[in-house]
């Protein structure tokens, strides 16, 4: 049984890695030497040249700075709001805690496509369309439910005696939250932020729907624009651009992988 499990894990890992391998190998191929068929071995050493071509064609520099700002600001704000909500439904006495959990967490259960039409109409009428503020608002709103899920589950593991002892010493709820629960939730806060950073960085749907200016759009929207120029720049350049814009999230994940292991050990509802 153990051998079969190991074989299954290896097969799943290979199947998962094959598309990534093909992207990397074909990104090395010079654009003028690409024949239209997927290569299984490198056809050259043009990866850096293809990345440079993608950088210039899609103007990835400004869009990467935009995505960096969106990911950092939206991630921080969403995690802060989620931490307050998680504290409220775990430490503060009151009924219907499970109901409030589902009310907040349900925001991550509905498909994003269901919000596009009312969002586009509302943004167009309110002047938020094609603005950094508009994208930040929707990113914060969509990041809160899952961050709340992580932080609420973590705070459930903290001893209830912490809040009781602090109250006996005269501490208010805000003091208990900032002085005890936040410091004890640092690993969970970091994990939630990293999750949201990666999600905002890779988000495409809202980026192409709620913005069109090069000075506003996030990096994935810029990459989508590069793909629309498929016949001009060539598939290897598009693939190299995809590798280039994925590097920040890969670096962040590898640098903080221990945070995931230590913070996401279990879930409770």
């Amino acid at each position: 049984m153990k051998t079969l499990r190991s074989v299954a894990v290896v097969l799943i890992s290979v199947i998962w890695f094959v598309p990534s391998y093909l992207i990397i190998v074909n990104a090395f191929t010079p654009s003028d030497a690409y024949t239209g068929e997927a290569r299984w071995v490198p056809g050259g050493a043009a990866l850096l040249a293809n990345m440079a071509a993608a950088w210039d064609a899609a103007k990835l520099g400004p869009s990467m700075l935009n995505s960096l700002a969106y990911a950092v600001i939206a991630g921080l704000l969403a995690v802060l709001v989620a931490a307050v909500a998680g504290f409220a439904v775990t430490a503060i006495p009151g009924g219907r805690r499970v109901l409030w959990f589902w009310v907040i967490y349900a925001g991550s259960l509905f498909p994003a496509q269901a919000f596009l039409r009312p969002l586009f109409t509302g943004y167009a009428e309110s002047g938020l369309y094609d603005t950094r503020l508009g994208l930040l608002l929707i990113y914060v709103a969509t990041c809160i439910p899952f961050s709340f899920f992580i932080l609420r589950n973590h705070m459930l593991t903290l001893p209830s005696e912490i809040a009781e002892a602090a109250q006996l010493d005269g501490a208010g709820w805000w003091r208990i939250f900032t002085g005890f629960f936040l410091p004890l939730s640092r690993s969970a806060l970091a994990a939630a932020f990293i999750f949201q950073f990666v999600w905002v960085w890779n988000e495409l749907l809202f980026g192409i729907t709620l913005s069109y200016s090069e000075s506003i759009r996030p990096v994935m929207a810029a990459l989508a624009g590069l793909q629309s120029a498929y016949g001009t720049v060539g598939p290897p350049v598009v693939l190299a651009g995809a590798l280039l814009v994925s590097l920040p999230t890969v670096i962040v994940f590898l640098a903080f992988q221990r945070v995931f292991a230590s913070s996401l050990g279990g879930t409770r509802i």
Side-chain angles (χ1 to χ4, degrees), residues 30-236:
S31 186
D32 54 0
Y34 188 76
T35 62
E37 298 182 358
R39 303 183 64 96
W40 289 88
V41 293
L47 177 62
L48 295 180
N50 289 337
M51 285 185 173
W55 182 276
D56 294 334
K59 299 180 181 178
L60 293 179
S63 60
M64 289 183 76
L65 291 177
N66 288 336
S67 284
L68 180 62
Y70 297 146
V72 171
I73 297 174
L76 289 175
L77 290 176
V79 169
L80 177 60
V81 174
V84 174
F87 174 75
V89 300
T90 55
I92 298 178
R96 301 180 179 177
R97 292 185 175 185
V98 175
L99 173 63
W100 281 113
F101 166 79
W102 284 111
V103 168
I104 299 174
Y105 181 62
S108 65
L109 303 180
F110 297 101
Q113 291 84 350
F115 307 124
L116 287 183
R117 182 182 178 88
L119 271 175
F120 181 83
T121 303
Y123 270 44
E125 294 177 352
S126 63
L128 289 173
Y129 181 73
D130 196 36
T131 64
R132 291 188 176 89
L133 177 60
L135 285 177
L136 275 175
L137 287 175
I138 189 59
Y139 287 150
V140 171
T142 52
C143 285
I144 287 175
F146 189 71
S147 298
F148 167 76
F149 177 77
I150 295 173
L151 293 167
R152 176 259 189 186
N153 289 336
H154 173 78
M155 290 181 181
L156 281 175
T157 66
L158 300 180
S160 59
E161 290 80 5
I162 295 176
E164 295 172 359
Q167 282 184 298
L168 290 175
D169 290 337
W173 288 117
W174 184 251
R175 171 60 181 160
I176 295 172
F177 172 66
T178 58
F180 298 95
F181 275 71
L182 277 185
L184 292 173
S185 304
R186 282 178 295 186
S187 59
L189 290 167
F193 172 77
I194 294 166
F195 263 117
Q196 303 317 321
F197 179 94
V198 172
W199 183 85
V200 173
W201 184 276
N202 291 327
E203 200 282 323
L204 171 64
L205 187 60
F206 294 125
I208 61 176
T209 304
L210 303 178
S211 69
Y212 66 88
S213 301
E214 294 180 355
S215 60
I216 303 296
R217 65 183 183 180
V219 67
M220 289 302 165
L223 186 62
L226 178 64
Q227 291 176 320
S228 67
Y230 189 95
T232 303
V233 299

